[in-house]
Amino acid sequence: MKLYPYFIFLLIFSCAFNEKKDDETTAKAVINEALEKPISYCYDSIQGIKGFIVNNPDIDISENLKLNIYALDGTILSSVQMDNEYQPIIFRCSDFNEEFFSIVIDGTKKYLKRNDKRIIFQTWENHILDGVFAINFDVKSNPIKKTIEGEKLVTQLSNNRRITPLEIDRNYLMVKYEDFNTSQTLTGWIQWRNSYCLLIELLYFA
């Protein structure tokens, strides 16, 4: 049976807490500079992103399914359902204070309360290892290697595959590569980020 990573719409929001002048211009410049670098394909900018806000798996949400989104003064602006398996709660977060996580929706800053026990913060590393089903990446510029600086093991990806994150060492990620066409399975290393960009695509569903 073939397994393909289907892309399903996710509630993934960029977060930013500190106000910066000319944010949009700065972000475009960062991405453009990153795309000019030959290291690998840039899936997204990681500038200023500290991690993710996700559902707390240890909390029963069956009796309280709505997650409120706030203005800075504490006014409820809107809410999202927490029990939709096709739209999991995944917020990108770059900063926070004692009361709020900050998120940006359609260019507008909004907030989540930090004391809501139904959500938890994950670092990039924790989210990649514990929060995704599989990953994708540009193998031509970022081949799977035997060691971080070692020989190349995979330079062309199967069309029927799964690549699972296993371990992170700084900017490098150990992965398990499964080729379902040939039944080949191996482990090796790729680069998952640089100073500007996320070099892997995060896949949340089979």
Side-chain angles (χ1 to χ4, degrees), residues 6-202:
Y6 292 102
F7 297 96
I8 301 177
F9 174 76
L10 304 174
L11 294 175
I12 302 179
F13 302 106
S14 295
C15 306
F17 196 88
N18 296 321
E19 294 202 6
K20 295 181 180 179
K21 191 175 182 180
D22 298 327
D23 283 344
E24 184 175 352
T25 301
T26 301
K28 288 180 179 179
V30 165
I31 292 175
N32 287 338
E33 183 177 353
L35 289 173
E36 291 172 359
K37 294 180 178 294
I39 178 62
S40 192
Y41 183 80
C42 181
Y43 285 92
D44 202 353
S45 170
I46 61 172
Q47 289 289 295
I49 305 299
K50 291 184 176 179
F52 296 79
I53 310 301
V54 300
N55 288 356
N56 185 346
D58 298 326
I59 298 294
D60 180 10
I61 62 171
S62 60
E63 296 182 359
N64 188 8
L65 299 178
K66 289 187 177 181
L67 179 65
N68 291 326
I69 298 173
Y70 296 86
L72 188 57
D73 64 3
T75 303
I76 297 176
L77 300 175
S78 61
S79 62
V80 293
Q81 288 291 121
M82 299 189 69
D83 62 338
N84 188 336
E85 62 178 320
Y86 298 109
Q87 294 182 344
I89 300 298
I90 304 172
F91 298 90
R92 289 191 173 191
C93 185
S94 64
D95 208 349
F96 43 81
N97 61 17
E98 293 182 356
E99 186 174 2
F100 290 111
F101 296 109
S102 174
I103 62 177
V104 176
I105 303 176
D106 296 330
T108 302
K109 283 189 179 182
K110 298 177 183 179
Y111 303 87
L112 298 174
K113 288 193 173 180
R114 286 192 65 186
N115 63 1
D116 191 327
K117 298 185 182 302
R118 297 171 302 162
I119 57 177
I120 59 173
F121 175 82
Q122 290 182 329
T123 63
W124 275 99
E125 290 81 0
N126 288 340
H127 187 69
I128 290 170
L129 296 178
D130 300 329
V132 303
F133 169 77
I135 64 164
N136 192 32
F137 58 95
D138 177 43
V139 72
K140 291 183 179 180
S141 57
N142 195 13
I144 300 176
K145 297 181 179 180
K146 186 174 183 179
T147 62
I148 291 176
E149 300 295 340
E151 65 180 287
K152 298 176 182 179
L153 295 177
V154 179
T155 58
Q156 184 173 350
L157 298 179
S158 167
N159 63 356
N160 185 18
R161 66 183 183 270
R162 180 180 175 185
I163 305 171
T164 309
L166 297 179
E167 179 185 334
I168 288 178
D169 182 355
R170 297 162 295 163
N171 291 353
Y172 297 91
L173 174 66
M174 178 187 285
V175 298
K176 178 182 178 181
Y177 175 75
E178 298 173 274
D179 183 344
F180 298 113
N181 289 332
T182 64
S183 298
Q184 179 190 32
T185 299
L186 58 82
T187 59
W189 291 85
I190 62 170
Q191 187 172 355
W192 70 272
R193 62 164 290 171
N194 59 26
S195 299
Y196 303 90
C197 278
L198 179 66
L199 305 180
I200 61 175
E201 183 177 18
L202 307 182

